[in-house]
Amino acid sequence: MSAFKFRLQQVLELREQHEQQVAAKLAEAETAADEARVAQKALEAIRQSGSQALRNAHAAEPTIGQLKTIGYVIEQLNHHIIDAQSRVEMAEQLVTQARTDLTSALQARRVLSRLRDRHFESWRAEDNAQEMRAMDELALSRYTRREGDGDSGAATA
């Protein structure tokens, strides 16, 4: 009996490592996308608060300087929100790419795993057949020896 050896075991192990690395990259990309979304929502909440302050200022008859300052702050927030939206979109693209890469890595590993399983089944069937042949040969040799012992005992008696 010999131990099962899969010729492509190193390749399979490399594929498994690659799959783990891609999964880690996906997790990082998802975390970055979540952080970008949170930042964007925070900026939008600040803009909403600034808009409310502008409406309140209009009701209280503010000076033109106050209105301009609030307007400028809101305009700057709008620019930051646009930048944040761009970061969210880029992060989501990275997540999509990482998911695609992970799917490819999973498929590549599964192909080799199935090939290994098929080779193992074939090896096991051959190993079992060899074991059965050895057992049959042993049983046949014992039977032949008993028959031989039985014939010689009858001839001397």
Side-chain angles (χ1 to χ4, degrees), residues 93-105:
Q93 288 174 355
L94 290 175
V95 167
T96 300
Q97 183 61 47
R99 280 193 180 118
T100 301
D101 293 347
L102 181 58
T103 300
S104 297

PDB file of all heavy atoms in Angstrom, residues 93-105:
ATOM      1  N   GLN A  93     -16.521  50.158  -6.466  1.00  0.00           N
ATOM      2  CA  GLN A  93     -15.910  49.492  -7.624  1.00  0.00           C
ATOM      3  C   GLN A  93     -14.832  48.507  -7.170  1.00  0.00           C
ATOM      4  O   GLN A  93     -14.714  47.411  -7.720  1.00  0.00           O
ATOM      5  CB  GLN A  93     -15.319  50.519  -8.595  1.00  0.00           C
ATOM      6  CG  GLN A  93     -16.360  51.294  -9.370  1.00  0.00           C
ATOM      7  CD  GLN A  93     -15.743  52.402 -10.222  1.00  0.00           C
ATOM      8  OE1 GLN A  93     -14.547  52.654 -10.172  1.00  0.00           O
ATOM      9  NE2 GLN A  93     -16.580  53.070 -11.007  1.00  0.00           N
ATOM     10  N   LEU A  94     -14.063  48.902  -6.166  1.00  0.00           N
ATOM     11  CA  LEU A  94     -13.045  47.999  -5.627  1.00  0.00           C
ATOM     12  C   LEU A  94     -13.685  46.765  -5.003  1.00  0.00           C
ATOM     13  O   LEU A  94     -13.176  45.650  -5.157  1.00  0.00           O
ATOM     14  CB  LEU A  94     -12.170  48.721  -4.599  1.00  0.00           C
ATOM     15  CG  LEU A  94     -11.217  49.776  -5.146  1.00  0.00           C
ATOM     16  CD1 LEU A  94     -10.504  50.500  -4.001  1.00  0.00           C
ATOM     17  CD2 LEU A  94     -10.201  49.140  -6.085  1.00  0.00           C
ATOM     18  N   VAL A  95     -14.795  46.964  -4.321  1.00  0.00           N
ATOM     19  CA  VAL A  95     -15.513  45.828  -3.727  1.00  0.00           C
ATOM     20  C   VAL A  95     -16.004  44.897  -4.828  1.00  0.00           C
ATOM     21  O   VAL A  95     -15.848  43.671  -4.745  1.00  0.00           O
ATOM     22  CB  VAL A  95     -16.694  46.309  -2.846  1.00  0.00           C
ATOM     23  CG1 VAL A  95     -17.623  45.163  -2.484  1.00  0.00           C
ATOM     24  CG2 VAL A  95     -16.172  46.990  -1.590  1.00  0.00           C
ATOM     25  N   THR A  96     -16.581  45.465  -5.879  1.00  0.00           N
ATOM     26  CA  THR A  96     -17.072  44.656  -6.994  1.00  0.00           C
ATOM     27  C   THR A  96     -15.926  43.871  -7.626  1.00  0.00           C
ATOM     28  O   THR A  96     -16.054  42.672  -7.903  1.00  0.00           O
ATOM     29  CB  THR A  96     -17.757  45.547  -8.050  1.00  0.00           C
ATOM     30  OG1 THR A  96     -18.852  46.223  -7.421  1.00  0.00           O
ATOM     31  CG2 THR A  96     -18.258  44.739  -9.222  1.00  0.00           C
ATOM     32  N   GLN A  97     -14.794  44.532  -7.854  1.00  0.00           N
ATOM     33  CA  GLN A  97     -13.631  43.851  -8.446  1.00  0.00           C
ATOM     34  C   GLN A  97     -13.118  42.760  -7.518  1.00  0.00           C
ATOM     35  O   GLN A  97     -12.781  41.668  -7.961  1.00  0.00           O
ATOM     36  CB  GLN A  97     -12.521  44.860  -8.751  1.00  0.00           C
ATOM     37  CG  GLN A  97     -11.317  44.239  -9.421  1.00  0.00           C
ATOM     38  CD  GLN A  97     -11.655  43.605 -10.757  1.00  0.00           C
ATOM     39  OE1 GLN A  97     -12.330  44.199 -11.573  1.00  0.00           O
ATOM     40  NE2 GLN A  97     -11.196  42.390 -10.979  1.00  0.00           N
ATOM     41  N   ALA A  98     -13.066  43.048  -6.227  1.00  0.00           N
ATOM     42  CA  ALA A  98     -12.587  42.053  -5.263  1.00  0.00           C
ATOM     43  C   ALA A  98     -13.524  40.850  -5.224  1.00  0.00           C
ATOM     44  O   ALA A  98     -13.068  39.704  -5.121  1.00  0.00           O
ATOM     45  CB  ALA A  98     -12.453  42.682  -3.876  1.00  0.00           C
ATOM     46  N   ARG A  99     -14.827  41.082  -5.323  1.00  0.00           N
ATOM     47  CA  ARG A  99     -15.787  39.961  -5.364  1.00  0.00           C
ATOM     48  C   ARG A  99     -15.572  39.115  -6.618  1.00  0.00           C
ATOM     49  O   ARG A  99     -15.624  37.885  -6.565  1.00  0.00           O
ATOM     50  CB  ARG A  99     -17.217  40.475  -5.330  1.00  0.00           C
ATOM     51  CG  ARG A  99     -17.676  40.835  -3.963  1.00  0.00           C
ATOM     52  CD  ARG A  99     -19.180  41.038  -3.890  1.00  0.00           C
ATOM     53  NE  ARG A  99     -19.550  41.383  -2.546  1.00  0.00           N
ATOM     54  CZ  ARG A  99     -20.118  42.524  -2.201  1.00  0.00           C
ATOM     55  NH1 ARG A  99     -20.408  43.427  -3.113  1.00  0.00           N
ATOM     56  NH2 ARG A  99     -20.405  42.764  -0.935  1.00  0.00           N
ATOM     57  N   THR A 100     -15.340  39.783  -7.744  1.00  0.00           N
ATOM     58  CA  THR A 100     -15.077  39.062  -8.996  1.00  0.00           C
ATOM     59  C   THR A 100     -13.802  38.242  -8.866  1.00  0.00           C
ATOM     60  O   THR A 100     -13.766  37.068  -9.265  1.00  0.00           O
ATOM     61  CB  THR A 100     -14.959  40.061 -10.169  1.00  0.00           C
ATOM     62  OG1 THR A 100     -16.175  40.804 -10.257  1.00  0.00           O
ATOM     63  CG2 THR A 100     -14.698  39.351 -11.475  1.00  0.00           C
ATOM     64  N   ASP A 101     -12.767  38.838  -8.300  1.00  0.00           N
ATOM     65  CA  ASP A 101     -11.499  38.128  -8.103  1.00  0.00           C
ATOM     66  C   ASP A 101     -11.683  36.923  -7.172  1.00  0.00           C
ATOM     67  O   ASP A 101     -11.132  35.851  -7.410  1.00  0.00           O
ATOM     68  CB  ASP A 101     -10.431  39.057  -7.529  1.00  0.00           C
ATOM     69  CG  ASP A 101     -10.010  40.143  -8.511  1.00  0.00           C
ATOM     70  OD1 ASP A 101     -10.346  40.042  -9.708  1.00  0.00           O
ATOM     71  OD2 ASP A 101      -9.346  41.109  -8.061  1.00  0.00           O
ATOM     72  N   LEU A 102     -12.472  37.118  -6.118  1.00  0.00           N
ATOM     73  CA  LEU A 102     -12.708  36.021  -5.180  1.00  0.00           C
ATOM     74  C   LEU A 102     -13.474  34.884  -5.859  1.00  0.00           C
ATOM     75  O   LEU A 102     -13.154  33.713  -5.669  1.00  0.00           O
ATOM     76  CB  LEU A 102     -13.462  36.509  -3.940  1.00  0.00           C
ATOM     77  CG  LEU A 102     -13.742  35.450  -2.871  1.00  0.00           C
ATOM     78  CD1 LEU A 102     -12.442  34.818  -2.380  1.00  0.00           C
ATOM     79  CD2 LEU A 102     -14.519  36.052  -1.719  1.00  0.00           C
ATOM     80  N   THR A 103     -14.456  35.230  -6.661  1.00  0.00           N
ATOM     81  CA  THR A 103     -15.211  34.203  -7.387  1.00  0.00           C
ATOM     82  C   THR A 103     -14.283  33.411  -8.297  1.00  0.00           C
ATOM     83  O   THR A 103     -14.346  32.179  -8.343  1.00  0.00           O
ATOM     84  CB  THR A 103     -16.345  34.849  -8.208  1.00  0.00           C
ATOM     85  OG1 THR A 103     -17.222  35.540  -7.312  1.00  0.00           O
ATOM     86  CG2 THR A 103     -17.129  33.819  -8.979  1.00  0.00           C
ATOM     87  N   SER A 104     -13.408  34.102  -8.994  1.00  0.00           N
ATOM     88  CA  SER A 104     -12.436  33.429  -9.876  1.00  0.00           C
ATOM     89  C   SER A 104     -11.505  32.531  -9.073  1.00  0.00           C
ATOM     90  O   SER A 104     -11.220  31.405  -9.484  1.00  0.00           O
ATOM     91  CB  SER A 104     -11.621  34.452 -10.652  1.00  0.00           C
ATOM     92  OG  SER A 104     -12.438  35.203 -11.491  1.00  0.00           O
ATOM     93  N   ALA A 105     -11.026  33.037  -7.945  1.00  0.00           N
ATOM     94  CA  ALA A 105     -10.122  32.246  -7.109  1.00  0.00           C
ATOM     95  C   ALA A 105     -10.829  31.007  -6.561  1.00  0.00           C
ATOM     96  O   ALA A 105     -10.247  29.914  -6.524  1.00  0.00           O
ATOM     97  CB  ALA A 105      -9.580  33.104  -5.961  1.00  0.00           C
TER      98      ALA A 105
END
